[in-house]
Amino acid sequence: MGGVWRPPWVIPKALGGHLGRAALWGLMLLFLAMGVLGAAYWWFFLRDMVSTDNAYVVADIARVSARVPGRVQRVMVENDQPVLQGQLLLELDPADYRVALEKAEAFLARTEADISAAEALLSLTDRQTAAQVHAARTVPPETRDKSSELSHRLLELEKKREAALAEFREAELEKKRFESLFEAQVIPKRQRDQVLTAFQKARAQLEAVEAEMGALRASIQALEKTWSRAVAQLEAVESDRTQVQVQKHRLSSLRAQGKEAKAAVEAAMLNLSYCSVKAPISGFVAQKNVQVGEQVQAGQPLMAIVPLQEVYVEANFKETQLTDVRLGQLAEIRADMYPGHLFQGRVMGIRSGTGAAFSLLPPENATGNWIKVVQRIPVKILLDSPPPPERPLRIGMSLKVTIFTHDKSGGLLVGPSREP
Protein backbone atom coordinates (compact mmCIF):
# COMPACT_ATOMS: atom_id res chain seq x y z
CA MET A 1 0.00 0.00 0.00
CA GLY A 2 2.78 2.35 0.76
CA GLY A 3 4.83 1.49 -2.35
CA VAL A 4 5.76 4.02 -5.11
CA TRP A 5 3.34 4.30 -8.05
CA ARG A 6 4.78 3.58 -11.53
CA PRO A 7 3.23 4.14 -14.89
CA PRO A 8 2.16 0.94 -16.65
CA TRP A 9 4.71 1.47 -19.42
CA VAL A 10 7.62 1.46 -17.02
CA ILE A 11 9.28 -1.95 -17.06
CA PRO A 12 10.70 -3.21 -13.78
CA LYS A 13 14.43 -3.08 -13.77
CA ALA A 14 14.64 -6.78 -13.23
CA LEU A 15 12.85 -7.49 -16.42
CA GLY A 16 14.14 -4.48 -18.37
CA GLY A 17 17.21 -6.08 -19.84
CA HIS A 18 15.48 -9.20 -21.14
CA LEU A 19 12.41 -7.46 -22.58
CA GLY A 20 14.42 -4.58 -24.11
CA ARG A 21 16.55 -6.88 -26.21
CA ALA A 22 13.50 -8.85 -27.38
CA ALA A 23 11.62 -5.68 -28.40
CA LEU A 24 14.67 -4.37 -30.27
CA TRP A 25 15.05 -7.57 -32.20
CA GLY A 26 11.33 -7.60 -32.94
CA LEU A 27 11.43 -4.08 -34.32
CA MET A 28 14.45 -4.89 -36.41
CA LEU A 29 12.79 -7.95 -37.88
CA LEU A 30 9.61 -5.93 -38.54
CA PHE A 31 11.51 -3.20 -40.41
CA LEU A 32 13.48 -5.80 -42.32
CA ALA A 33 10.31 -7.60 -43.37
CA MET A 34 8.68 -4.34 -44.41
CA GLY A 35 11.78 -3.43 -46.47
CA VAL A 36 11.82 -6.83 -48.18
CA LEU A 37 8.12 -6.61 -48.94
CA GLY A 38 8.51 -3.05 -50.24
CA ALA A 39 11.47 -4.04 -52.43
CA ALA A 40 9.55 -7.06 -53.73
CA TYR A 41 6.52 -4.90 -54.46
CA TRP A 42 8.66 -2.37 -56.33
CA TRP A 43 10.48 -5.11 -58.23
CA PHE A 44 7.39 -6.98 -59.34
CA PHE A 45 4.87 -4.14 -59.64
CA LEU A 46 6.45 -0.67 -59.77
CA ARG A 47 9.80 -1.24 -61.44
CA ASP A 48 8.36 -1.53 -65.00
CA MET A 49 5.77 1.23 -64.92
CA VAL A 50 5.63 5.02 -64.92
CA SER A 51 2.62 7.10 -64.01
CA THR A 52 1.44 10.68 -64.23
CA ASP A 53 -1.73 12.56 -63.47
CA ASN A 54 -0.70 15.37 -65.86
CA ALA A 55 -2.71 13.85 -68.71
CA TYR A 56 -5.72 15.04 -70.66
CA VAL A 57 -8.13 13.94 -73.36
CA VAL A 58 -7.22 15.34 -76.79
CA ALA A 59 -8.80 15.08 -80.24
CA ASP A 60 -8.06 16.42 -83.71
CA ILE A 61 -10.79 19.04 -83.69
CA ALA A 62 -12.02 20.28 -87.07
CA ARG A 63 -12.55 24.05 -87.09
CA VAL A 64 -15.40 24.90 -89.44
CA SER A 65 -15.14 28.24 -91.23
CA ALA A 66 -16.66 29.89 -94.29
CA ARG A 67 -14.59 29.72 -97.48
CA VAL A 68 -16.43 32.67 -99.05
CA PRO A 69 -18.00 35.76 -97.50
CA GLY A 70 -21.77 35.99 -97.32
CA ARG A 71 -24.91 36.34 -95.24
CA VAL A 72 -26.03 33.30 -93.24
CA GLN A 73 -29.33 32.07 -94.64
CA ARG A 74 -29.91 28.91 -92.59
CA VAL A 75 -28.26 27.12 -89.66
CA MET A 76 -29.09 23.41 -89.34
CA VAL A 77 -27.21 22.37 -86.19
CA GLU A 78 -26.80 23.31 -82.54
CA ASN A 79 -24.09 22.76 -79.97
CA ASP A 80 -23.55 19.15 -78.78
CA GLN A 81 -25.48 17.79 -81.78
CA PRO A 82 -23.91 14.77 -83.52
CA VAL A 83 -23.21 15.19 -87.24
CA LEU A 84 -21.86 12.95 -89.97
CA GLN A 85 -19.13 13.78 -92.45
CA GLY A 86 -20.62 15.71 -95.36
CA GLN A 87 -23.74 16.72 -93.46
CA LEU A 88 -25.00 20.23 -94.18
CA LEU A 89 -24.26 22.57 -91.27
CA LEU A 90 -25.35 25.97 -92.59
CA GLU A 91 -26.07 27.81 -95.83
CA LEU A 92 -25.01 31.23 -97.07
CA ASP A 93 -27.10 33.36 -99.41
CA PRO A 94 -26.10 32.07 -102.89
CA ALA A 95 -27.70 34.85 -104.99
CA ASP A 96 -24.50 36.79 -105.71
CA TYR A 97 -22.51 33.66 -106.50
CA ARG A 98 -25.27 32.31 -108.78
CA VAL A 99 -25.20 35.57 -110.77
CA ALA A 100 -21.39 35.35 -110.98
CA LEU A 101 -21.70 31.78 -112.28
CA GLU A 102 -24.22 32.80 -114.97
CA LYS A 103 -21.93 35.64 -116.04
CA ALA A 104 -18.94 33.29 -116.28
CA GLU A 105 -21.00 30.76 -118.26
CA ALA A 106 -22.14 33.48 -120.69
CA PHE A 107 -18.54 34.61 -121.22
CA LEU A 108 -17.52 30.99 -121.80
CA ALA A 109 -20.31 30.49 -124.36
CA ARG A 110 -19.29 33.66 -126.21
CA THR A 111 -15.65 32.61 -126.21
CA GLU A 112 -16.52 29.14 -127.51
CA ALA A 113 -18.60 30.74 -130.30
CA ASP A 114 -15.64 32.95 -131.23
CA ILE A 115 -13.40 29.89 -131.28
CA SER A 116 -15.81 28.03 -133.58
CA ALA A 117 -16.03 31.01 -135.94
CA ALA A 118 -12.24 31.42 -135.94
CA GLU A 119 -11.77 27.70 -136.68
CA ALA A 120 -14.23 27.86 -139.59
CA LEU A 121 -12.61 31.03 -140.99
CA LEU A 122 -9.16 29.51 -140.65
CA SER A 123 -10.21 26.36 -142.46
CA LEU A 124 -11.84 28.34 -145.27
CA THR A 125 -8.89 30.72 -145.66
CA ASP A 126 -6.47 27.81 -145.59
CA ARG A 127 -8.29 25.96 -148.37
CA GLN A 128 -8.77 29.04 -150.52
CA THR A 129 -5.22 30.35 -150.25
CA ALA A 130 -3.78 26.86 -150.73
CA ALA A 131 -5.78 26.46 -153.97
CA GLN A 132 -4.77 29.92 -155.14
CA VAL A 133 -1.11 29.28 -154.44
CA HIS A 134 -1.29 25.96 -156.25
CA ALA A 135 -2.98 27.58 -159.26
CA ALA A 136 -0.55 30.48 -159.28
CA ARG A 137 2.42 28.14 -159.11
CA THR A 138 1.17 25.97 -162.01
CA VAL A 139 0.81 28.91 -164.46
CA PRO A 140 4.46 30.07 -164.63
CA PRO A 141 5.92 26.70 -165.76
CA GLU A 142 3.35 26.43 -168.57
CA THR A 143 3.99 30.01 -169.59
CA ARG A 144 7.74 29.48 -169.61
CA ASP A 145 7.42 26.34 -171.75
CA LYS A 146 5.12 28.04 -174.24
CA SER A 147 7.33 31.14 -174.41
CA SER A 148 10.41 29.00 -175.03
CA GLU A 149 8.63 27.16 -177.80
CA LEU A 150 7.51 30.41 -179.49
CA SER A 151 10.98 31.91 -179.20
CA HIS A 152 12.45 28.86 -180.91
CA ARG A 153 9.79 29.15 -183.61
CA LEU A 154 10.62 32.86 -184.04
CA LEU A 155 14.28 32.02 -184.64
CA GLU A 156 13.27 29.57 -187.34
CA LEU A 157 11.03 32.19 -188.93
CA GLU A 158 13.85 34.72 -188.91
CA LYS A 159 16.01 32.30 -190.87
CA LYS A 160 13.11 31.62 -193.21
CA ARG A 161 12.57 35.38 -193.61
CA GLU A 162 16.22 35.85 -194.54
CA ALA A 163 15.83 33.22 -197.24
CA ALA A 164 12.53 34.76 -198.41
CA LEU A 165 14.09 38.22 -198.37
CA ALA A 166 16.97 37.01 -200.51
CA GLU A 167 14.58 35.44 -203.00
CA PHE A 168 12.48 38.59 -202.99
CA ARG A 169 15.47 40.81 -203.70
CA GLU A 170 16.62 38.52 -206.48
CA ALA A 171 13.11 38.48 -207.94
CA GLU A 172 12.96 42.28 -207.67
CA LEU A 173 16.22 42.63 -209.62
CA GLU A 174 14.95 40.17 -212.20
CA LYS A 175 11.72 42.14 -212.47
CA LYS A 176 13.53 45.45 -213.03
CA ARG A 177 15.87 43.92 -215.61
CA PHE A 178 13.10 42.19 -217.54
CA GLU A 179 10.94 45.30 -217.48
CA SER A 180 13.81 47.27 -219.10
CA LEU A 181 14.24 44.53 -221.69
CA PHE A 182 10.51 44.44 -222.32
CA GLU A 183 10.36 48.21 -222.80
CA ALA A 184 13.24 47.88 -225.24
CA GLN A 185 11.19 45.14 -226.92
CA VAL A 186 14.01 42.68 -226.51
CA ILE A 187 11.90 40.02 -224.78
CA PRO A 188 8.30 39.10 -225.24
CA LYS A 189 5.54 40.03 -222.83
CA ARG A 190 5.05 36.45 -221.79
CA GLN A 191 8.56 36.17 -220.43
CA ARG A 192 8.15 39.50 -218.59
CA ASP A 193 4.88 38.26 -217.02
CA GLN A 194 6.60 35.12 -215.76
CA VAL A 195 9.28 37.20 -214.04
CA LEU A 196 6.61 39.51 -212.57
CA THR A 197 4.70 36.52 -211.23
CA ALA A 198 7.86 35.15 -209.63
CA PHE A 199 8.47 38.58 -208.07
CA GLN A 200 4.94 38.75 -206.63
CA LYS A 201 5.28 35.22 -205.29
CA ALA A 202 8.56 36.03 -203.58
CA ARG A 203 7.05 39.17 -202.09
CA ALA A 204 4.01 37.24 -200.85
CA GLN A 205 6.24 34.65 -199.22
CA LEU A 206 8.27 37.38 -197.53
CA GLU A 207 5.14 39.13 -196.29
CA ALA A 208 3.71 35.84 -195.02
CA VAL A 209 6.89 35.10 -193.08
CA GLU A 210 6.94 38.62 -191.63
CA ALA A 211 3.26 38.39 -190.71
CA GLU A 212 3.87 35.07 -188.95
CA MET A 213 6.84 36.60 -187.13
CA GLY A 214 4.68 39.51 -186.04
CA ALA A 215 2.07 37.11 -184.72
CA LEU A 216 4.76 35.18 -182.83
CA ARG A 217 6.17 38.37 -181.33
CA ALA A 218 2.66 39.35 -180.21
CA SER A 219 2.18 35.92 -178.66
CA ILE A 220 5.50 36.18 -176.90
CA GLN A 221 4.59 39.60 -175.51
CA ALA A 222 1.25 38.23 -174.38
CA LEU A 223 3.00 35.33 -172.66
CA GLU A 224 5.40 37.75 -171.01
CA LYS A 225 2.46 39.73 -169.73
CA THR A 226 0.83 36.50 -168.54
CA TRP A 227 4.09 35.57 -166.83
CA SER A 228 4.33 38.93 -165.07
CA ARG A 229 0.70 38.74 -164.08
CA ALA A 230 1.14 35.17 -162.78
CA VAL A 231 4.19 36.17 -160.77
CA ALA A 232 2.32 39.12 -159.30
CA GLN A 233 -0.65 36.89 -158.54
CA LEU A 234 1.62 34.33 -156.89
CA GLU A 235 3.16 37.03 -154.70
CA ALA A 236 -0.32 38.26 -153.82
CA VAL A 237 -1.67 34.83 -152.87
CA GLU A 238 1.49 34.05 -150.92
CA SER A 239 0.94 37.29 -149.05
CA ASP A 240 -2.65 36.23 -148.42
CA ARG A 241 -1.28 32.91 -147.23
CA THR A 242 0.37 34.69 -144.32
CA GLN A 243 -3.12 35.53 -143.08
CA VAL A 244 -3.49 31.86 -142.24
CA GLN A 245 -0.67 32.17 -139.69
CA VAL A 246 -2.22 35.34 -138.30
CA GLN A 247 -5.56 33.56 -137.90
CA LYS A 248 -3.82 30.58 -136.28
CA HIS A 249 -2.27 32.85 -133.66
CA ARG A 250 -5.63 34.53 -133.11
CA LEU A 251 -7.24 31.09 -132.71
CA SER A 252 -4.57 30.15 -130.15
CA SER A 253 -5.34 33.33 -128.24
CA LEU A 254 -9.05 32.56 -128.30
CA ARG A 255 -8.43 29.02 -127.08
CA ALA A 256 -6.37 30.41 -124.20
CA GLN A 257 -9.28 32.72 -123.42
CA GLY A 258 -11.55 29.69 -123.56
CA LYS A 259 -9.44 27.89 -120.94
CA GLU A 260 -9.50 31.02 -118.82
CA ALA A 261 -13.28 31.21 -119.19
CA LYS A 262 -13.65 27.53 -118.21
CA ALA A 263 -11.49 28.16 -115.15
CA ALA A 264 -13.67 31.15 -114.27
CA VAL A 265 -16.79 28.96 -114.57
CA GLU A 266 -15.22 26.29 -112.35
CA ALA A 267 -14.22 28.93 -109.80
CA ALA A 268 -17.74 30.37 -109.84
CA MET A 269 -19.20 26.88 -109.37
CA LEU A 270 -16.84 26.27 -106.46
CA ASN A 271 -17.79 29.57 -104.84
CA LEU A 272 -21.46 28.69 -105.25
CA SER A 273 -20.88 25.26 -103.70
CA TYR A 274 -19.02 26.91 -100.80
CA CYS A 275 -22.30 28.58 -99.83
CA SER A 276 -23.25 25.18 -98.38
CA VAL A 277 -20.95 24.60 -95.41
CA LYS A 278 -20.68 20.88 -94.65
CA ALA A 279 -19.12 18.88 -91.86
CA PRO A 280 -15.53 17.89 -92.73
CA ILE A 281 -15.60 14.96 -90.29
CA SER A 282 -18.08 13.09 -88.13
CA GLY A 283 -18.40 14.17 -84.52
CA PHE A 284 -20.23 16.53 -82.21
CA VAL A 285 -20.83 20.24 -82.74
CA ALA A 286 -19.06 22.56 -80.30
CA GLN A 287 -18.34 26.28 -80.00
CA LYS A 288 -21.10 27.28 -82.42
CA ASN A 289 -21.09 31.07 -82.69
CA VAL A 290 -23.10 31.90 -85.80
CA GLN A 291 -26.72 32.93 -86.26
CA VAL A 292 -29.10 33.41 -89.19
CA GLY A 293 -28.68 36.79 -90.85
CA GLU A 294 -25.11 37.26 -89.69
CA GLN A 295 -22.55 38.45 -92.25
CA VAL A 296 -19.50 36.21 -92.15
CA GLN A 297 -16.12 36.53 -93.80
CA ALA A 298 -13.92 33.96 -95.46
CA GLY A 299 -11.90 32.08 -92.85
CA GLN A 300 -14.07 33.23 -89.95
CA PRO A 301 -14.50 30.40 -87.39
CA LEU A 302 -18.14 29.37 -87.16
CA MET A 303 -18.06 26.18 -85.07
CA ALA A 304 -15.98 23.13 -84.31
CA ILE A 305 -16.54 19.42 -84.84
CA VAL A 306 -15.18 17.20 -82.06
CA PRO A 307 -14.70 13.49 -82.99
CA LEU A 308 -15.40 11.98 -79.58
CA GLN A 309 -15.06 8.45 -80.99
CA GLU A 310 -11.49 9.23 -82.12
CA VAL A 311 -10.11 10.89 -79.00
CA TYR A 312 -6.67 10.06 -77.71
CA VAL A 313 -4.65 10.79 -74.59
CA GLU A 314 -1.78 13.22 -74.23
CA ALA A 315 0.17 12.44 -71.09
CA ASN A 316 2.91 14.85 -70.02
CA PHE A 317 5.63 12.72 -68.40
CA LYS A 318 8.77 14.03 -66.81
CA GLU A 319 11.83 13.50 -68.94
CA THR A 320 13.31 11.31 -66.23
CA GLN A 321 10.32 8.94 -66.53
CA LEU A 322 10.74 8.30 -70.27
CA THR A 323 14.00 6.34 -70.11
CA ASP A 324 12.28 3.01 -70.78
CA VAL A 325 9.14 4.20 -72.55
CA ARG A 326 8.82 2.77 -76.08
CA LEU A 327 6.22 2.84 -78.85
CA GLY A 328 3.57 0.15 -78.58
CA GLN A 329 3.76 -0.26 -74.80
CA LEU A 330 0.54 -0.92 -72.92
CA ALA A 331 -1.02 1.94 -70.97
CA GLU A 332 -3.82 2.13 -68.43
CA ILE A 333 -5.94 5.27 -68.26
CA ARG A 334 -8.21 6.31 -65.41
CA ALA A 335 -10.51 9.29 -65.72
CA ASP A 336 -11.38 11.41 -62.70
CA MET A 337 -14.95 11.53 -64.01
CA TYR A 338 -15.33 7.72 -63.95
CA PRO A 339 -13.71 6.40 -60.76
CA GLY A 340 -13.09 2.67 -60.89
CA HIS A 341 -13.31 2.41 -64.68
CA LEU A 342 -10.17 1.49 -66.59
CA PHE A 343 -9.40 2.41 -70.22
CA GLN A 344 -6.76 0.53 -72.16
CA GLY A 345 -4.40 2.07 -74.70
CA ARG A 346 -0.95 1.95 -76.26
CA VAL A 347 1.87 4.42 -76.73
CA MET A 348 1.78 5.72 -80.33
CA GLY A 349 4.15 8.65 -80.23
CA ILE A 350 6.57 10.65 -78.14
CA ARG A 351 6.66 14.36 -78.91
CA SER A 352 9.77 15.73 -80.62
CA GLY A 353 10.25 18.40 -77.99
CA THR A 354 9.27 19.43 -74.51
CA GLY A 355 6.19 21.48 -73.82
CA ALA A 356 8.30 24.50 -72.93
CA ALA A 357 10.11 24.35 -76.28
CA PHE A 358 6.82 24.67 -78.17
CA SER A 359 5.27 27.29 -75.92
CA LEU A 360 4.39 30.77 -77.10
CA LEU A 361 7.40 32.22 -75.26
CA PRO A 362 10.06 29.49 -75.03
CA PRO A 363 12.59 29.93 -72.22
CA GLU A 364 15.91 31.61 -72.94
CA ASN A 365 18.16 29.49 -70.77
CA ALA A 366 21.31 31.19 -72.05
CA THR A 367 20.37 34.53 -70.47
CA GLY A 368 20.45 35.55 -66.80
CA ASN A 369 20.57 33.14 -63.89
CA TRP A 370 19.56 29.60 -64.71
CA ILE A 371 17.78 27.07 -62.55
CA LYS A 372 17.44 23.52 -63.78
CA VAL A 373 13.82 22.38 -63.98
CA VAL A 374 12.76 18.88 -64.95
CA GLN A 375 10.90 19.22 -68.26
CA ARG A 376 7.82 17.35 -69.38
CA ILE A 377 7.42 15.69 -72.78
CA PRO A 378 3.95 14.87 -74.18
CA VAL A 379 3.30 11.20 -74.98
CA LYS A 380 0.48 10.27 -77.33
CA ILE A 381 -1.60 7.26 -76.31
CA LEU A 382 -4.32 5.77 -78.50
CA LEU A 383 -7.19 3.87 -76.94
CA ASP A 384 -7.53 0.23 -77.92
CA SER A 385 -11.25 0.79 -78.54
CA PRO A 386 -13.51 3.84 -78.67
CA PRO A 387 -14.93 4.93 -75.32
CA PRO A 388 -18.28 3.30 -74.55
CA PRO A 389 -21.36 5.51 -74.96
CA GLU A 390 -22.03 5.40 -71.22
CA ARG A 391 -18.53 6.70 -70.46
CA PRO A 392 -17.55 9.15 -73.19
CA LEU A 393 -14.26 10.99 -72.88
CA ARG A 394 -14.55 14.70 -73.51
CA ILE A 395 -11.85 17.08 -74.64
CA GLY A 396 -9.69 18.38 -71.80
CA MET A 397 -10.76 15.81 -69.16
CA SER A 398 -8.17 15.05 -66.48
CA LEU A 399 -6.69 11.56 -66.53
CA LYS A 400 -4.17 9.43 -64.71
CA VAL A 401 -1.99 7.39 -67.05
CA THR A 402 0.25 4.44 -66.24
CA ILE A 403 2.59 3.00 -68.86
CA PHE A 404 4.00 -0.52 -68.46
CA THR A 405 7.58 -0.43 -69.71
CA HIS A 406 8.59 -4.10 -69.41
CA ASP A 407 8.28 -4.58 -73.22
CA LYS A 408 11.12 -2.54 -74.75
CA SER A 409 10.94 -3.97 -78.29
CA GLY A 410 9.35 -0.83 -79.72
CA GLY A 411 11.23 2.17 -81.06
CA LEU A 412 11.60 5.66 -79.78
CA LEU A 413 10.65 7.36 -83.06
CA VAL A 414 7.71 6.79 -85.40
CA GLY A 415 8.81 5.40 -88.77
CA PRO A 416 8.27 7.32 -92.03
CA SER A 417 4.80 7.05 -93.51
CA ARG A 418 4.46 5.17 -96.79
CA GLU A 419 2.55 6.73 -99.64
CA PRO A 420 -0.14 4.50 -101.12
Side-chain angles (χ1 to χ4, degrees):
M1 294 295 295
V4 178
W5 180 83
R6 294 184 179 90
W9 58 82
V10 176
I11 300 175
K13 187 174 182 179
L15 298 175
H18 179 71
L19 293 177
R21 287 193 297 271
L24 181 61
W25 280 106
L27 289 174
M28 292 177 62
L29 290 176
L30 177 62
F31 286 134
L32 180 61
M34 291 176 62
V36 170
L37 290 175
Y41 183 78
W42 177 86
W43 180 266
F44 290 105
F45 297 100
L46 301 180
R47 182 173 66 94
D48 292 329
M49 66 176 61
V50 289
S51 300
T52 183
D53 56 1
N54 188 353
Y56 304 93
V57 179
V58 182
D60 296 328
I61 302 174
R63 308 288 180 180
V64 179
S65 60
R67 303 186 66 172
V68 293
R71 185 179 60 84
V72 179
Q73 193 173 39
R74 287 196 303 166
V75 179
M76 289 76 168
V77 294
E78 294 294 339
N79 277 325
D80 307 323
Q81 177 180 338
V83 294
L84 298 176
Q85 183 178 7
Q87 181 176 337
L88 187 61
L89 302 178
L90 59 91
E91 285 185 347
L92 303 179
D93 188 359
D96 294 339
Y97 298 101
R98 189 175 291 113
V99 171
L101 175 60
E102 293 175 355
K103 182 178 179 180
E105 289 175 343
F107 180 72
L108 175 61
R110 184 177 62 188
T111 305
E112 289 178 344
D114 292 341
I115 291 174
S116 300
E119 288 176 345
L121 180 60
L122 174 61
S123 178
L124 178 61
T125 305
D126 190 19
R127 290 197 304 269
Q128 288 180 346
T129 55
Q132 291 173 356
V133 168
H134 178 72
R137 286 178 178 174
T138 55
V139 171
E142 296 177 357
T143 305
R144 287 196 300 268
D145 295 341
K146 188 66 175 177
S147 177
S148 177
E149 180 182 352
L150 293 179
S151 298
H152 183 69
R153 176 63 178 163
L154 183 60
L155 291 176
E156 293 179 352
L157 288 177
E158 287 179 351
K159 294 178 180 179
K160 187 176 180 181
R161 177 182 176 279
E162 291 177 358
L165 181 60
E167 290 180 0
F168 171 74
R169 288 176 179 174
E170 183 179 358
E172 186 178 15
L173 292 175
E174 288 290 327
K175 170 180 168 293
K176 290 180 180 180
R177 186 164 59 85
F178 274 87
E179 281 183 350
S180 299
L181 293 176
F182 176 73
E183 290 177 358
Q185 296 182 356
V186 175
I187 60 173
K189 180 179 179 182
R190 178 182 175 185
Q191 193 174 0
R192 188 202 68 172
D193 292 340
Q194 291 177 352
V195 172
L196 183 60
T197 301
F199 168 75
Q200 293 175 349
K201 182 179 179 182
R203 183 174 63 184
Q205 289 179 352
L206 178 60
E207 290 176 352
V209 172
E210 290 179 346
E212 188 174 357
M213 289 178 65
L216 284 176
R217 289 192 180 95
S219 298
I220 291 174
Q221 290 178 355
L223 288 175
E224 289 178 352
K225 292 180 180 179
T226 303
W227 170 268
S228 300
R229 186 166 55 251
V231 171
Q233 184 178 2
L234 178 59
E235 293 177 353
V237 294
E238 286 180 345
S239 177
D240 293 339
R241 186 69 177 166
T242 59
Q243 295 297 321
V244 175
Q245 297 298 326
V246 174
Q247 292 181 10
K248 285 182 178 180
H249 291 306
R250 181 174 179 273
L251 180 58
S252 299
S253 176
L254 288 175
R255 285 174 176 168
Q257 291 181 7
K259 292 182 179 180
E260 183 180 359
K262 288 181 181 179
V265 169
E266 293 177 358
M269 292 177 65
L270 282 175
N271 289 336
L272 182 60
S273 66
Y274 293 155
C275 291
S276 298
V277 181
K278 298 180 180 180
I281 60 173
S282 299
F284 290 81
V285 177
Q287 295 180 319
K288 171 182 164 291
N289 56 356
V290 61
Q291 301 297 332
V292 174
E294 183 178 350
Q295 183 71 27
V296 298
Q297 301 298 323
Q300 176 181 341
L302 304 178
M303 63 186 71
I305 305 297
V306 181
L308 291 184
Q309 295 302 310
E310 299 177 6
V311 297
Y312 57 92
V313 177
E314 193 170 89
N316 302 303
F317 283 93
K318 295 180 181 180
E319 53 187 326
T320 55
Q321 294 178 291
L322 298 180
T323 303
D324 297 327
V325 173
R326 299 292 186 273
L327 300 179
Q329 290 176 346
L330 180 65
E332 290 183 351
I333 302 103
R334 291 177 172 83
D336 296 348
M337 187 175 180
Y338 309 117
H341 184 78
L342 185 66
F343 298 91
Q344 298 286 340
R346 292 190 179 273
V347 176
M348 297 304 295
I350 303 174
R351 191 68 53 82
S352 301
T354 66
F358 292 107
S359 63
L360 182 62
L361 296 175
E364 292 289 345
N365 294 328
T367 62
N369 296 327
W370 172 75
I371 300 176
K372 182 175 180 179
V373 177
V374 177
Q375 302 296 316
R376 290 185 179 267
I377 299 177
V379 176
K380 181 179 181 180
I381 300 173
L382 289 185
L383 300 178
D384 291 340
S385 59
E390 64 275 8
R391 289 183 177 89
L393 294 178
R394 306 179 187 278
I395 305 302
M397 285 177 56
S398 298
L399 305 172
K400 182 178 181 180
V401 175
T402 301
I403 299 177
F404 298 93
T405 61
H406 60 277
D407 181 10
K408 299 180 178 61
S409 60
L412 291 171
L413 299 174
V414 179
S417 60
R418 296 181 179 179
E419 295 183 357

